[in-house]
Amino acid sequence: MDAGDPAGDPAGEPATGDTAGDPAGGRDPLLFLQTLQTLWSTRELGQLREEAQRGFATLEDPLAALLDMLDSSRGWRGKGPSLEAWVARELKRCLQAQLCPGPARGSPGLKQLQARAVKLLAESPPGLVEPLVSIFQLQDADRSPLLAHVHRLHQEGKFKEAIVLGAKLRLQADLDVEKMCIPLLLQDKADLVERYVDGFPDLQRRLLALMDSWCQPGFDIRVVARRYPQTTLRLERLSPRALGRQVLRLLEQHGLDPDLCPNVVNQQRLAALRYLCYKRLVERSVSRESWAEHVQGLAGQDQWLQEQLLQLLASHDDAALVAQCALDLLLPEERLPASVAAELRQLRIQERTAEAPLEDGKDDYYQLPIPREHLHFLASWEDLARHQEELLQPGQVVGMDLEWRPSFGAGGRPRASLMQVAVEGRVFLLDLPRLSSPAGGQAPQAFFRLVSRLLTDPSITKLGYGLAGDLRSLGASCPALAQAEKQLRGSVDLLQVHRQMRAADRPAPGVDGAAGPRGLSLLVQQVLGKPLDKMQQLSNWDRRPLCEGQLVYAAADAYCLLEVYWALCREPARFHLSGDLARSLRLGRGERAGPGELPPLQKALTSPQQVPAGEDAAPEVPARAFRVVCDSMLQGLARRLRCLGIDVLVLATGEDHRRAAEVARQEGRVILTSGLPYHKLRAQVGAGRCLSVDCSLKARQQATAVIRHFNVRVTHSDIFSRCQACNCHQYLKVSKDVMKQLVWLSGHPEGPSGTGDKAAQIEDERETGSAPEEAPGGCTYEPSCRWLEEEDLQSRVPATLGDGTRLQLSGVPAGVLRRPGLRHFYCCTGCGKVFWEGSHLGRVAENFREVLEGVPGSHEPSRAPSPASSPS
């Protein structure tokens, strides 16, 4: 008889007597458990769930019955999955879905059940604790035994379980926040710590004070780590720099006073001082006045910061320039190196206060091509009314930019001080502090109307460089324009066009991408021949009146957008853009291409012309023979290159850049870096072995540029030949049946995080629905690897390979296991990540079509393994 037929199922047939239960006594919970045990052993999940739901409905008191089951059995006390834990999770689901009645909150009967459940917590594994807390509403129970249980977990080294349970039971106020959080921070589980203190302002302040104390100069985190000798720690993630970023983010997130964290604030100020010294002493791209003002504001009267500043100045070789800086800052002569002190005395004698080294060479920079009298400073509603017609002329092209006082990472989006709007022959400088206050005044209303009309008129082409970010800053400064980015119509962001030019990897002759200008200044140099003079970029834009240098700089920043735009429209092919660029750039957000036609702007940004390799092109190298080492800022690039089969090592956060040069020399790797040490690294590994990566590009564009620069040959078979997560290139093939068994034994019968059949079904439908048809020629993912054998497993529960690598089975959705066409899985032998056939390879092949060998233009992407974690 069919096992699913109620007539053949004693547990579901009322005529069989005690299994059906009667209204007076209800069903015997132990017999009910025996019935479920039979189905549990056969792994018939569907029938098991149906039987459980029928049984819960016939039990007189399902909550008391669950406790009886747990009292009578010891199977759930061990490691691994258990029927009792599954029953508890299923009862929780039924109560939440109101499939069976639950007790009223605060009732006497519930209190008795809570007392029994609390006693069981001491022996409960993590998979049973959460449903017990939910079913018996233990967050409302007597706190003393709950606190005792949390303390016991902590003493046993189960720090994650202790903090999770403490948060679920809302016990934070009665627990020592430092004691609970320190081991989790050492294990790089800051997300759990943040959730633990969420909603408790006092605990948030204490946590931040703790993290700040770890950032004080000379602090050794290893001293704290020695208190937890049996715990696997991630101390590389706890460098003062990484911790400082977390603290600053939390300060802003919770709206707390930065004075709570003096060490992190000083660390941030020191980083700003380093940056300013680099800009002044190395790049020489900031004026004396601006530099001195910012440095004095950062160092103030803090003795430690003043000492650090002196060390920064003393580390530079140009004694004359350092002496000039010391003179501007009124630094005491006795605290300076002898050579600098001698130069300082000479400066005072000769009264040489001119800044010759920085003022010379103005002809080397882009010059504003319009007369000074065509710069208009608008600070009132009358000024706006006088020039409104020129600003809103239909059909014209305008360049837009913003300036604000540097905040040096103080948190939050900076408030804009000046808005520049350039039209042909003129530049208008709008004084935002005057035009945006008082709220509701005549000037703010006039300003809001004018800017709104300018942004929403699709016939006016608005040019910008990073336009979306500028408009968000404008909205932060003027709340009435908070939706400015969404209102924008008819715009062109030249940053996107510049990214296409850089992706083509053909910079203008003589342009050094690492040491030369960057951003808009680099675009101006590549297109117009000379970079922007950025001397005033870091000046105080809140000061009024603005100096002449600031006015000219601000006007040039906006007007150069017009000149770049006109040059690109005249000669798009010269800059490796599509020939239809003129129309492309005019197609703003408010216009559409014809039916079935890709907007030309999108074509310009996604289909750069292929530039034939010249005689000096690098020799071709296969992807699997190309080896690189990246700094920690290029994690996204590393994943994309690994995805294409390239061997990539990544420096740990805070690891010295000199380590990259050491690895490159020892292992024959190329260095990819985004930081300032480019020149030092290049000198250590030789020509052609170090590349400075443009961080303004997206990771996919960076990968394309690297492949073109080094002439790397990538084929279809290279894709996913290496694990994106750990860089391992060895996989094991696992049959579908074996994978089902391993997932079942791991205690994840319902997919990741206990999401249940519904979530798994949604995931399954999403994956299969997005997977394209198999490509012509039968191109599928078939890596060269052997099948997983029994002897490869050190243990099945948890599923662990012979070298100790645990398979990451929690990320395999139940819906994928039920997919009819799926034959097998792959697991990485390095990290245990699990993959299966999906649409990810097709997307990768499409994204890298222009550099992928052997993929015709009409080739449709094929199925490929998708990582158990969500594909990026």
Side-chain angles (χ1 to χ4, degrees):
M1 186 173 292
D2 194 305
D5 186 349
D9 185 358
E13 179 57 56
T16 58
D18 59 351
T19 59
D22 60 81
R27 188 175 186 180
D28 185 337
L30 300 186
L31 291 177
F32 173 44
L33 185 62
Q34 291 177 9
T35 302
L36 295 180
Q37 184 68 54
T38 302
L39 295 172
W40 174 262
S41 61
T42 61
R43 300 173 185 171
E44 295 292 343
L45 251 187
Q47 293 184 42
L48 182 64
R49 172 162 288 163
E50 291 175 6
E51 180 61 28
Q53 292 176 1
R54 286 197 297 267
F56 293 146
T58 61
L59 289 169
E60 181 182 18
D61 187 344
L63 276 67
L66 175 62
L67 294 175
D68 291 341
M69 294 181 199
L70 295 174
D71 285 334
S72 65
S73 171
R74 303 195 59 84
W76 55 271
R77 292 176 171 88
K79 294 183 178 180
S82 68
L83 172 61
E84 293 81 2
W86 183 90
V87 171
R89 291 196 299 271
E90 189 65 19
L91 178 57
K92 171 193 167 186
R93 191 183 68 82
C94 289
L95 290 171
Q96 291 175 340
Q98 298 182 347
L99 299 178
C100 58
R105 184 180 295 272
S107 64
L110 177 60
K111 291 183 178 181
Q112 294 176 2
L113 295 175
Q114 286 175 336
R116 291 180 62 190
V118 168
K119 294 178 181 179
L120 294 172
L121 278 181
E123 301 179 81
S124 298
L128 184 58
V129 168
E130 198 279 332
L132 287 178
V133 171
S134 175
I135 292 170
F136 296 98
Q137 304 170 29
L138 294 183
Q139 62 271 21
D140 301 327
D142 181 15
R143 304 177 77 81
S144 298
L146 298 177
L147 288 168
H149 179 57
V150 172
H151 287 308
R152 188 178 302 109
L153 289 173
H154 198 277
Q155 291 170 358
E156 294 173 356
K158 299 176 180 179
F159 306 118
K160 176 182 175 182
E161 291 81 355
I163 203 169
V164 169
L165 181 60
K168 287 182 180 298
L169 298 174
R170 306 294 287 177
L171 299 175
Q172 292 96 320
D174 299 315
L175 294 168
D176 186 328
V177 66
E178 289 84 1
K179 174 184 175 181
M180 298 297 293
C181 294
I182 285 176
L184 274 299
L185 292 173
L186 294 175
Q187 293 176 300
D188 192 31
K189 298 185 185 299
D191 54 336
L192 286 177
V193 172
E194 290 179 33
R195 290 200 293 271
Y196 179 75
V197 300
D198 188 35
F200 295 86
D202 182 60
L203 298 187
Q204 292 167 354
R205 284 190 285 269
R206 290 171 59 185
L207 172 64
L208 287 171
L210 169 69
M211 297 172 71
D212 179 71
S213 70
W214 291 0
C215 295
Q216 60 185 314
F219 181 81
D220 189 352
I221 191 65
R222 291 172 295 184
V223 175
V224 180
R226 292 191 192 109
R227 291 153 47 186
Y228 306 92
Q230 305 302 321
T231 305
T232 302
L233 307 180
R234 302 287 297 277
L235 301 187
E236 70 277 5
R237 303 293 183 90
L238 294 176
S239 66
R241 184 177 179 182
L243 270 175
R245 286 196 296 265
Q246 290 188 53
V247 169
L248 291 172
R249 176 178 57 80
L250 292 174
L251 282 171
E252 182 180 356
Q253 179 177 316
H254 300 310
L256 298 176
D257 187 353
D259 290 342
L260 285 170
C261 305
N263 294 308
V264 169
V265 170
N266 275 351
Q267 181 189 100
Q268 183 187 36
R269 289 177 177 172
L270 178 58
L273 288 174
R274 289 196 185 103
Y275 173 74
L276 285 167
C277 287
Y278 178 84
K279 300 292 284 187
R280 169 72 175 165
L281 301 174
V282 179
E283 285 189 355
R284 305 194 179 193
S285 59
V286 59
S287 68
R288 277 177 53 194
E289 295 79 7
S290 298
W291 185 84
E293 180 181 1
H294 288 312
V295 168
Q296 288 169 343
L298 288 166
Q301 301 302 313
D302 188 284
Q303 294 295 322
W304 183 78
L305 285 174
Q306 290 179 356
E307 185 62 36
Q308 297 299 312
L309 174 61
L310 286 168
Q311 293 179 22
L312 287 171
L313 292 175
S315 67
H316 288 275
D317 299 329
D318 192 335
L321 184 55
V322 172
Q324 183 69 71
C325 294
L327 180 64
D328 293 337
L329 295 174
L330 303 177
L331 296 179
E333 183 178 320
E334 61 272 13
R335 300 181 66 184
L336 299 171
S339 59
V340 176
E343 287 285 348
L344 181 59
R345 288 192 294 271
Q346 191 70 15
L347 278 177
R348 288 170 175 163
I349 293 172
Q350 298 179 2
E351 295 184 348
R352 276 172 31 202
T353 57
E355 192 177 359
L358 295 181
E359 295 299 329
D360 291 343
K362 285 292 183 183
D363 290 341
D364 295 335
Y365 296 100
Y366 170 84
Q367 298 296 306
L368 190 65
I370 59 177
R372 172 62 181 83
E373 57 269 21
H374 289 178
L375 274 62
H376 305 280
F377 192 81
L378 312 184
S380 66
W381 70 270
E382 294 92 345
D383 293 337
L384 296 177
R386 189 178 307 115
H387 297 284
Q388 177 174 300
E389 185 175 348
E390 296 171 273
L391 286 163
L392 300 178
Q393 182 68 35
Q396 69 178 343
V397 180
V398 303
M400 296 175 57
D401 193 25
L402 291 177
E403 304 295 343
W404 51 78
R405 181 174 182 172
S407 61
F408 300 110
R413 187 167 291 278
R415 292 182 62 84
S417 299
L418 191 72
M419 179 178 180
Q420 306 104 280
V421 182
V423 301
E424 186 173 4
R426 295 181 182 277
V427 180
F428 301 94
L429 307 176
L430 282 64
D431 185 2
L432 294 184
R434 293 277 299 276
L435 293 174
S436 59
S437 63
Q442 196 168 9
Q445 292 182 22
F447 173 68
F448 169 72
R449 287 195 298 269
L450 185 143
V451 174
S452 295
R453 289 179 59 186
L454 176 64
L455 296 178
T456 56
D457 188 343
S459 74
I460 301 176
T461 299
K462 276 74 67 176
L463 304 176
Y465 192 91
L467 192 55
D470 280 351
L471 292 179
R472 286 194 290 271
S473 293
L474 179 63
S477 307
C478 308
L481 294 170
Q483 302 300 315
E485 185 182 3
K486 296 180 180 179
Q487 295 173 346
L488 187 62
R489 297 292 182 273
S491 66
V492 171
D493 193 340
L494 291 177
L495 172 60
Q496 304 300 325
V497 179
H498 195 197
R499 283 175 174 169
Q500 178 191 335
M501 293 168 57
R502 285 176 291 183
D505 198 31
R506 294 294 188 275
V511 176
D512 187 338
R518 299 183 180 186
L520 177 59
S521 182
L522 176 61
L523 176 62
V524 173
Q525 180 175 12
Q526 291 175 326
V527 176
L528 304 180
K530 294 181 180 181
L532 292 173
D533 182 357
K534 308 298 286 186
M535 193 70 68
Q536 296 293 336
Q537 182 182 31
L538 296 179
S539 60
N540 184 357
W541 292 98
D542 288 342
R543 186 197 301 120
R544 294 294 183 272
L546 297 174
C547 69
E548 183 67 16
Q550 288 177 301
L551 295 174
V552 174
Y553 167 85
D557 243 16
Y559 203 85
C560 70
L561 297 171
L562 297 176
E563 295 211 282
V564 167
Y565 171 83
W566 294 326
L568 293 177
C569 288
R570 286 193 303 268
E571 300 180 277
R574 176 188 169 197
F575 303 103
H576 314 298
L577 302 172
S578 68
D580 198 19
L581 181 65
R583 179 168 173 261
S584 299
L585 295 177
R586 276 297 294 126
L587 264 177
R589 293 188 183 183
E591 302 174 54
R592 295 183 179 179
E597 179 186 359
L598 188 67
L601 177 59
Q602 187 175 345
K603 292 180 183 177
L605 298 181
T606 58
S607 303
Q609 295 181 353
Q610 298 296 320
V611 182
E615 294 180 0
D616 59 345
E620 185 178 79
V621 55
R624 301 193 202 193
F626 186 54
R627 312 176 77 202
V628 303
V629 55
C630 296
D631 64 39
S632 59
M633 299 297 290
L634 298 174
Q635 302 275 357
L637 170 61
R639 288 193 296 271
R640 297 309 189 283
L641 293 178
R642 287 172 178 172
C643 180
L644 299 175
I646 295 171
D647 183 350
V648 185
L649 290 184
V650 184
L651 295 184
T653 303
E655 193 169 2
D656 195 308
H657 281 76
R658 287 174 292 188
R659 174 63 180 158
E662 181 183 337
V663 171
R665 289 193 301 267
Q666 292 176 351
E667 303 182 12
R669 295 179 182 271
V670 168
I671 299 176
L672 304 180
T673 180
S674 61
L676 297 177
Y678 166 74
H679 292 290
K680 294 181 180 179
L681 292 173
R682 185 174 62 176
Q684 295 181 55
V685 296
R689 306 296 298 174
C690 183
L691 179 68
S692 177
V693 177
D694 189 343
C695 280
S696 68
L697 295 177
K698 294 181 178 179
R700 177 172 60 83
Q701 295 170 315
Q702 290 174 341
T704 300
V706 168
I707 290 168
R708 285 178 167 159
H709 182 90
F710 291 102
N711 199 15
V712 180
R713 176 168 55 85
V714 183
T715 66
H716 197 281
S717 63
D718 292 322
I719 299 178
F720 295 133
S721 61
R722 187 173 292 274
C723 178
Q724 288 178 269
C726 73
N727 200 43
C728 178
H729 65 287
Q730 294 182 347
Y731 298 105
L732 288 173
K733 187 183 293 187
V734 186
S735 71
K736 186 175 182 179
D737 289 339
V738 171
M739 183 58 68
K740 282 183 177 180
Q741 295 175 10
L742 293 175
V743 170
W744 173 270
L745 292 172
S746 70
H748 300 285
E750 297 180 347
S753 304
T755 52
D757 285 345
K758 183 176 180 181
Q761 185 178 2
I762 293 173
E763 170 67 19
D764 189 32
E765 291 172 354
R766 182 193 65 77
E767 181 65 37
T768 54
S770 63
E773 296 299 322
E774 186 174 299
C779 189
T780 57
Y781 183 77
E782 290 292 343
S784 177
C785 61
R786 62 183 181 83
W787 287 92
L788 175 73
E789 304 289 347
E790 186 66 34
E791 54 267 24
D792 292 319
L793 290 172
Q794 184 183 102
S795 67
R796 281 180 167 262
V797 182
T800 307
L801 300 178
D803 61 358
T805 300
R806 183 176 296 184
L807 300 188
Q808 300 182 33
L809 302 176
S810 61
V812 182
V816 171
L817 293 170
R818 293 193 299 268
R819 188 180 301 169
L822 191 62
R823 298 169 297 166
H824 43 251
F825 293 78
Y826 301 91
C827 64
C828 171
T829 60
C831 65
K833 186 177 284 291
V834 179
F835 304 83
W836 59 89
E837 287 192 38
S839 60
H840 201 23
L841 178 123
R843 292 195 294 271
V844 172
E846 183 64 28
N847 287 337
F848 290 99
R849 176 184 298 276
E850 58 199 64
V851 294
L852 193 61
E853 183 177 276
V855 180
S858 61
H859 180 58
E860 291 296 325
S862 59
R863 294 178 184 262
S866 299
S869 54
S870 298
S872 57

